């Protein structure tokens, strides 16, 4: 018996060709008006009673088995007979079949990603092996070695990276923009691990153009210390990360001194205070990371201090100045400069010389006595800063240097204390009184006695217009008399026995 090849069931593709014949629907009869024959002949058996209400185009009649009408059986058999279809198969059917063949050829590369030392993982079914081999040396080796499992540190990160492999550059960039710079850096690390060049370039392109936070900058530094990239885009990122060490150190020192000098010469009180706070803050932050303070030049800072001291002397001497501001305002500006530079010196462990410099200002001390407290009290602000630093133990000055600064400025500070309280400018007087007493107690006992007697005389007359050093006075008294007597008695008793 001859076998006939099985006919493939036709697929109804989205086209304008008529649908295939079915048992419930006959093929429409062409109208004579649309016939191509120029001399049509009338049909020998015309239908005298055409159906006035034809069924819809897609309507079907469902026949239940066992209830087939004998009248329609012959017609159904006729409908079920194979009909030669002169129209070719739709193009979409052929395209669909070829697509299935291509998919079958591309889905044979499968592998699994597992977490190192863990049980988490996921399976990967990549469709286009050609894209992988073309863009990733890592996957090319996997395919050649037929490796089915790889281990990674972060399963979720590598899952996101692998999902972006088949994306276009536009879709890839859109996805990176949504996740932000921090996660883009993590994604860059994953792309570098799997050596997917297209993904690496896209990550670098986004990171280079986006603004970074300080944490993200540190993250990039750590990443670039672990991996080596030769992409041209890396050069632009590196230029944003750092510069040459020798240039950075010299530039920092020169720029800092230049900024300090500009602020010292400023005549705008509000702007000067803001800039003083800004520069002091950034220099303090630099000292946290930079232990060797080679950036700030000690000599340059002390030259600025001497310049401020010279300006103060000229002001108190009545020298003609181009500055038209009142005398008190000009004095206050120079004092602010001195105290501000002194704080910078303290933060950079270079302030011991300032104590010696301030203690040796004999001419300025004499000029102080010639002016009213309303003008001269600004000079005592510098003395207050020095005494507070000594009392807190921030300065390791020699004993003769501490004695000199007390001999020069202790009495002027007592006299100006009332005006300092009237214009505190942020001064904590309780803390000042405590640290002043502690600093005084670092002197030799003979010097302490002389200064405490001077304080006692001033306090008994001026009261609250003079700092209260009662606590330090009691400590000095016990050390000088009570304990000395006790130790003396113990010594005599030891000799007698």
């Amino acid at each position: 018996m001859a076998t006939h090849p099985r006919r493939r069931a036709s697929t109804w593709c989205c086209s304008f060709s008529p649908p295939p014949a079915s048992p419930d629907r006959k093929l429409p009869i062409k109208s004579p008006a649309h016939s191509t024959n120029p001399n049509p002949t009338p049909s020998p058996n015309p239908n005298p009673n055409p159906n006035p209400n034809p069924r819809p185009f897609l309507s079907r009649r469902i026949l239940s088995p066992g209830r087939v009408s004998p009248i329609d059986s012959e017609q159904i058999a006729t409908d079920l007979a194979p009909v030669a279809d002169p129209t070719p198969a739709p193009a979409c059917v052929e395209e669909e079949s070829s697509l299935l063949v291509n998919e079958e050829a591309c889905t044979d590369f499968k592998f699994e990603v597992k977490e190192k030392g863990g049980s988490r993982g996921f399976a990967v079914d990549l469709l286009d092996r050609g894209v992988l081999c073309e863009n990733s040396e890592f996957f090319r080796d996997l395919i050649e070695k037929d490796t089915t499992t790889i281990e990674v540190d972060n399963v979720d990160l590598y899952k996101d990276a692998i999902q972006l492999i088949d994306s276009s550059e536009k879709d890839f960039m859109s996805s990176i923009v949504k996740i932000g710079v921090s996660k883009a850096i993590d994604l860059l690390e994953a792309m570098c691990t799997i050596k997917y060049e297209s993904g690496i370039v896209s990550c670098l392109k986004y990171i280079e153009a986006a603004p970074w936070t300080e944490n993200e900058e540190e993250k990039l530094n750590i990443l670039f210390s672990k991996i080596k990239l030769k992409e041209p885009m890396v050069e632009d990122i590196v230029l944003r990360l750092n510069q040459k060490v020798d240039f950075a150190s010299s530039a920092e020192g020169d720029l800092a001194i230049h900024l300090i000098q500009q602020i010292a010469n400023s005549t705008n009180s509000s702007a000067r205070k803001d800039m003083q706070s800004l520069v002091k803050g950034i220099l303090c932050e630099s000292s946290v990371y930079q232990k060797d303070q080679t950036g700030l030049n000690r000599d340059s800072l002390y030259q600025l201090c001497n310049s401020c001291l010279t300006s103060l002397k000229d002001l108190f001497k009545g020298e003609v100045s181009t500055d038209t501001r009142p005398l008190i305002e000009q004095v206050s500006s120079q004092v602010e400069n001195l105290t501000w530079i002194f704080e910078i010196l303290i933060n950079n462990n270079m302030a011991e010389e300032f104590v010696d410099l301030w203690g040796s200002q004999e001419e300025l001390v004499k000029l102080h006595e010639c002016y009213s407290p309303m003008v001269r009290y600004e000079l005592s602000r510098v003395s207050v800063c020095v005494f507070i630093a000594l009392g807190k133990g921030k300065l390791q000055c020699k004993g003769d240097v501490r004695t000199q600064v007390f001999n020069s400025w202790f009495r002027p500070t007592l006299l100006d204390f009332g005006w300092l309280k009237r214009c505190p400018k942020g001064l904590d007087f309780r803390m000042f009184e405590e640290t002043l007493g502690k600093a005084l107690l670092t002197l030799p006992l003979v010097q302490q006695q002389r200064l405490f007697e001077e304080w006692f005389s001033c306090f008994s007359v001026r009261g609250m217009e003079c700092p209260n050093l009662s606590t330090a006075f009691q400590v000095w008294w016990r050390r000088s008399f009570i304990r000395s007597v006790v130790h003396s008695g113990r010594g005599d008793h030891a000799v007698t026995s």
Side-chain angles (χ1 to χ4, degrees), residues 133-161:
C133 294
E134 182 180 355
N135 289 277
S136 173
E137 179 182 351
F138 176 82
F139 282 111
R140 189 184 311 126
D141 293 340
L142 286 183
I143 294 172
E144 291 178 355
K145 297 177 182 178
D146 198 17
T147 305
T148 58
T149 303
I150 61 174
E151 293 185 351
V152 298
D153 296 325
N154 191 330
V155 173
D156 296 330
L157 178 61
Y158 281 85
K159 184 176 182 180
D160 295 338

Side-chain angles (χ1 to χ4, degrees), residues 161-387:
I162 293 173
Q163 286 177 347
L164 289 172
I165 284 179
D166 286 336
S167 302
S168 63
E169 182 179 0
K170 182 178 180 181
D171 294 338
F172 195 104
M173 294 297 295
S174 177
S175 300
I176 299 179
V177 171
K178 291 178 181 179
I179 64 177
V181 176
S182 182
K183 291 186 178 179
I185 297 173
D186 296 332
L187 187 62
L188 172 62
E189 183 176 2
M191 289 294 179
C192 292
T193 303
I194 63 177
K195 300 179 181 179
Y196 194 74
E197 297 179 3
S198 178
I200 293 174
V201 173
S202 296
C203 289
L204 290 174
K205 184 177 180 181
Y206 166 70
I207 292 172
E208 194 278 331
W212 309 332
T213 64
E214 293 183 359
N215 292 334
E216 292 165 351
E217 180 180 351
E218 185 66 21
K219 201 172 183 179
L220 270 177
N221 276 317
I222 295 174
L223 177 60
F224 284 169
S225 65
K226 296 190 299 184
I227 62 175
K228 302 299 180 182
L229 294 173
K230 298 181 180 180
E231 302 293 338
M233 194 67 69
V234 178
E235 299 177 2
D236 297 332
I237 296 178
V238 171
L239 290 177
R240 286 181 58 183
L241 285 173
N242 50 43
Q243 52 188 347
K244 294 182 179 179
V245 178
D246 53 351
F247 172 79
S249 59
S250 61
E252 178 189 357
D254 296 342
L255 181 58
I257 296 299
H258 179 65
L259 294 177
I260 293 172
Q261 188 171 10
Q262 279 190 322
I263 295 171
N265 296 331
S266 173
T267 57
N268 189 310
S269 178
S270 178
R272 183 176 64 254
K273 292 179 181 179
D274 291 340
M275 293 300 101
Q276 284 176 348
S277 177
L278 172 63
V279 174
K280 177 186 172 184
I282 61 177
L283 292 179
C284 289
E285 289 177 359
S286 300
S287 64
V288 174
Y289 302 103
Q290 185 179 350
K291 299 302 181 182
D292 184 14
Q293 293 300 321
T294 56
L296 285 176
N297 189 293
R298 180 194 300 265
D299 295 337
S300 298
L301 288 175
Y302 278 102
Q303 286 178 4
L304 293 174
C305 291
N306 285 317
S307 176
C308 293
L309 290 172
T310 301
S311 298
L312 284 174
K313 294 175 185 177
D314 293 340
L315 290 173
F316 281 101
K317 289 179 181 178
E319 299 288 343
V320 178
S321 174
T322 57
D323 195 341
T324 58
R325 293 178 299 168
L327 176 62
I328 183 61
E329 188 174 347
Q330 297 183 54
V331 172
S332 178
S333 297
Q334 297 301 328
V335 168
E336 285 181 1
N337 291 332
L338 274 176
T339 56
W340 173 55
I341 297 174
F342 178 59
E343 291 177 1
I344 294 175
L345 291 170
I346 290 178
N347 293 331
N348 291 275
N349 300 321
M350 297 186 293
E352 284 76 14
E353 295 180 22
F354 186 90
V355 180
D356 189 10
L357 179 65
W358 184 245
S360 61
Q361 297 300 315
E362 298 179 359
E363 183 179 6
L364 201 55
V365 172
K366 294 180 179 179
L367 292 171
H368 174 276
E369 298 174 354
C370 300
Y371 277 83
S372 66
M374 186 175 63
V375 176
R376 74 189 188 195
Y377 85 96
E378 287 287 349
L379 294 177
S380 295
R381 292 190 187 279
V382 183
S383 303
V384 168
C385 292
V386 173
F387 292 143

